[in-house]
Amino acid sequence: SQTIHQWPATLVQPVGSPLSLECTVEGTSNPNLYWYRQAAGRGLQLLFYSVGIGQISSEVPQNLSASRPQDRQFILSSKKLLLSDSGFYLCAWSGQTEQFFGPGTRLTVL
Amino acid sequence: AQSVTQLGSHVSVSEGALVLLRCNYSSSVPPYLFWYVQYPNQGLQLLLKYTTGATLVKGINGFEAEFKKSETSFHLTKPSAHMSDAAEYFCAVSGPGTYKYIFGTGTRLKVLA
């Protein structure tokens, strides 16, 4: 069966510091991969999606970036965090129809 | 283009009462429709999906939803609410050949004892 991992589970970072969140998928090959952000009390905002290694589509211009160095690995990065980057970050993968979500990373920028 | 509207950001029901969460969509292609549930500080879990075929779909935890093309709706129901159903519910739309999933803003369900 397929499994999706995200780490870390929680993170507290100062403004201006770098960020790296990692997502890995097991049990499937060539998945479509996604990064979403949930701000407090709000819905899901699609940040990036990838349909293959090295292929990244950005949905919202901002100080975040994404990379897909391997088929089942998706990384979300920032060089300098802003206060507005705080939120709950969710990684997801999709196959034929539905999406499956990871457990999420709670990021607090102070 | 696709969009999803969830009516009611907060819904309260008594334990044992009917749960009805509303979702309307728009889609320029035959839609794939989904309901997800999210518990605090967790990821989203798929409750049920409609792609093709039978318009009444059954999911986990006793939930079901009916695809009504004429009404562009995909409402989620459960005959009898349980305290453990308290969570946030998201409706989403996608379609064949599309990579994106469009989510509604969510409905927080509260179950009263």
Side-chain angles (χ1 to χ4, degrees):
Chain A
S1 63
Q2 300 88 1
T3 309
I4 180 168
H5 303 279
Q6 284 187 248
W7 64 90
T10 60
L11 192 59
V12 180
Q13 292 285 95
V15 170
S17 64
L19 173 73
S20 180
L21 302 181
E22 190 164 343
C23 171
T24 59
V25 181
E26 297 177 354
T28 187
S29 59
N30 196 30
N32 298 326
L33 296 172
Y34 304 80
W35 278 112
Y36 290 89
R37 177 170 62 200
Q38 270 186 306
R42 301 181 67 178
L44 279 75
Q45 178 187 30
L46 178 62
L47 301 175
F48 302 94
Y49 69 94
S50 171
V51 300
I53 296 174
Q55 300 180 60
I56 308 294
S57 296
S58 175
E59 288 296 299
V60 183
Q62 54 203 325
N63 69 319
L64 298 173
S65 62
S67 61
R68 185 171 177 172
Q70 300 179 42
D71 181 45
R72 292 171 289 176
Q73 184 184 29
F74 205 22
I75 297 172
L76 183 68
S77 303
S78 174
K79 292 181 179 179
K80 289 185 177 182
L81 284 168
L82 306 174
L83 285 173
S84 58
D85 291 324
S86 292
F88 192 52
Y89 288 81
L90 289 162
C91 181
W93 73 273
S94 70
Q96 294 284 343
T97 56
E98 67 267 38
Q99 281 186 316
F100 298 93
F101 285 82
T105 295
R106 174 73 60 191
L107 172 66
T108 303
V109 182
L110 302 175
Chain B
Q2 296 178 307
S3 67
V4 172
T5 302
Q6 289 185 242
L7 296 175
S9 58
H10 292 80
V11 171
S12 294
V13 300
S14 298
E15 191 174 20
L18 172 72
V19 175
L20 171 61
L21 304 182
R22 299 177 186 275
C23 172
N24 288 89
Y25 71 92
S26 68
S27 179
S28 55
V29 299
Y32 293 162
L33 294 160
F34 311 90
W35 275 101
Y36 288 86
V37 60
Q38 185 180 33
Y39 297 98
N41 294 310
Q42 295 185 25
L44 277 69
Q45 179 184 8
L46 181 68
L47 278 177
L48 48 79
K49 67 176 180 181
Y50 168 81
T51 53
T52 59
T55 57
L56 180 64
V57 292
K58 295 184 184 299
I60 62 172
N61 301 338
F63 285 94
E64 62 182 37
E66 187 170 11
F67 169 60
K68 293 187 176 181
K69 184 177 179 181
S70 61
E71 299 178 9
T72 61
S73 69
F74 191 58
H75 301 330
L76 182 71
T77 60
K78 182 175 180 178
S80 177
H82 193 273
M83 297 298 289
S84 61
D85 294 327
E88 188 152 25
Y89 293 80
F90 291 93
C91 181
V93 63
S94 182
T98 65
Y99 299 117
K100 294 184 185 180
Y101 295 74
I102 307 301
F103 284 81
T105 51
T107 297
R108 187 167 299 276
L109 176 66
K110 185 174 182 180
V111 181
L112 307 172

